[in-house]
Amino acid sequence: MERVELHIAAGGRQEVWRHRAEALDCEVNFAIYLPPQADTAPVPVIYFLSGLTCNEQNFITKAGAQAFAAQHGVAIVAPETSPRGDGVADDPAYDMGQGAGFYLNATEAPWAAHFQMYDYIRAELPALIEATFPVTDARSIMGHSMGGHGALVIGLRNPGRYKAISAFSPIVAPTQVPWGEKAFTGYLGADRSTWAAYDATALLAHAAERLPILIDQGSADNFLETQLKPEIFVAEAQRLGHPVELRMQQGYDHSYYFISSFIGDHIAHHAAALKGT
């Protein structure tokens, strides 16, 4: 690994590292914020998954998370949103290819060779983080938009691995909206029966644990009615008795202005679960 950035923030260290990811068969960056408490003892970790077109920089420079992470004594890891590089398949559209990995394991050419983001986020990256940095194996997961989809899916599919789940403006039912239908057709093929493994709403019925889920959604989000549709997820969760809190935030849009306004609540949600309080 190579450290490519180091900044002091809120008494801790904001770092960016570059490494070769075996699951992705390419080099990628990840960011990690280590709070001041990590200087004296290992701390728990929150994973933040970003949305379409983003990389690790969007979250660490725009969300304002470092001060809250320092307050609660938690690390935050912000990985890439997809494999990247000259040898990695891409698409001219913003919602497919590099920057748009959808946190799944692709099975279709040309994507299958590199687009194994589910395995990278679930297994390879945490193993690397826990072997390299002063952190514990207590983890939680959150994300925004496409990353909210990833956080919900990975959290629901891996009982016992995470202590908490939350999301900003998540794609909750990708098999029922244009973003998901396009990406899943390309990455997973035309057989829709394979898509349910990466649809958070469909996964609720098979969830082996009932972690409380916090979702914040802006009422002025221009993707709300066409791509996000949180009411689908909430209705299914309520039918199954799965605890979920949807907070509709009036006037907020899809941007990091929205995320930065409520990131403190989400970090507190995760910190309480990670520390068992």
Side-chain angles (χ1 to χ4, degrees):
M1 293 200 306
E2 175 190 9
R3 189 169 66 186
V4 295
E5 289 187 37
L6 169 61
H7 311 280
I8 302 302
R13 303 192 308 277
Q14 180 63 67
E15 303 181 358
V16 177
W17 291 78
R18 188 164 183 81
H19 78 115
R20 182 165 188 84
E22 296 300 322
L24 309 179
D25 193 23
C26 67
E27 290 192 346
V28 291
N29 289 355
F30 68 84
I32 180 168
Y33 177 73
L34 294 166
Q37 294 89 336
D39 290 341
T40 56
V43 296
V45 185
I46 303 170
Y47 289 84
F48 182 91
L49 308 184
S50 295
L52 289 165
T53 75
C54 292
N55 58 26
E56 82 287 345
Q57 292 294 320
N58 299 78
F59 177 75
I60 66 175
T61 60
K62 296 180 179 180
Q66 290 89 347
F68 295 106
Q71 175 187 341
H72 292 284
V74 295
I76 304 183
V77 173
E80 262 285 15
T81 54
S82 79
R84 295 181 190 265
D86 292 340
V88 176
D90 201 5
D91 188 279
Y94 78 96
D95 55 358
M96 193 76 186
Q98 295 187 35
F102 271 84
Y103 303 102
L104 49 73
N105 286 341
T107 57
E108 300 296 301
W111 312 108
H114 296 280
F115 282 71
Q116 305 294 311
M117 287 298 293
Y118 177 84
D119 282 349
Y120 176 66
I121 298 298
R122 183 192 66 85
E124 182 178 351
L125 182 60
L128 177 64
I129 296 297
E130 290 161 25
T132 307
F133 299 98
V135 301
T136 70
D137 61 359
R139 316 171 199 92
S140 66
I141 193 164
M142 64 175 169
H144 170 231
S145 194
M146 178 186 71
H149 143 75
L152 292 170
V153 166
I154 294 171
L156 289 169
R157 283 184 57 171
N158 293 277
R161 191 162 181 80
Y162 302 96
K163 301 295 187 182
I165 305 170
S166 75
F168 295 91
S169 314
I171 307 169
V172 298
T175 62
Q176 302 180 52
V177 299
W179 271 341
E181 290 178 334
K182 176 182 178 178
F184 286 11
T185 299
Y187 294 138
L188 302 174
D191 182 1
R192 297 179 69 100
S193 67
T194 66
W195 297 4
Y198 299 105
D199 185 301
T201 300
L203 289 169
L204 280 170
H206 308 286
E209 63 182 350
R210 293 289 191 261
L211 290 182
I213 297 171
L214 171 63
I215 296 174
D216 270 319
Q217 173 63 61
S219 67
D221 190 322
N222 58 321
F223 300 114
L224 176 58
E225 295 183 1
T226 57
Q227 303 282 13
L228 305 178
K229 301 185 177 183
E231 69 278 0
I232 296 176
F233 183 83
V234 171
E236 180 67 356
Q238 291 175 341
R239 184 183 74 83
L240 296 166
H242 195 117
V244 60
E245 180 182 8
L246 171 63
R247 306 193 310 184
M248 293 299 300
Q249 304 292 359
Q250 294 303 309
Y252 285 89
D253 58 19
H254 198 72
S255 72
Y256 270 83
Y257 295 107
F258 167 54
I259 294 173
S260 67
S261 298
F262 301 101
I263 190 68
D265 291 350
H266 284 246
I267 292 174
H269 167 79
H270 290 277
L274 286 164
K275 298 178 180 181
T277 60

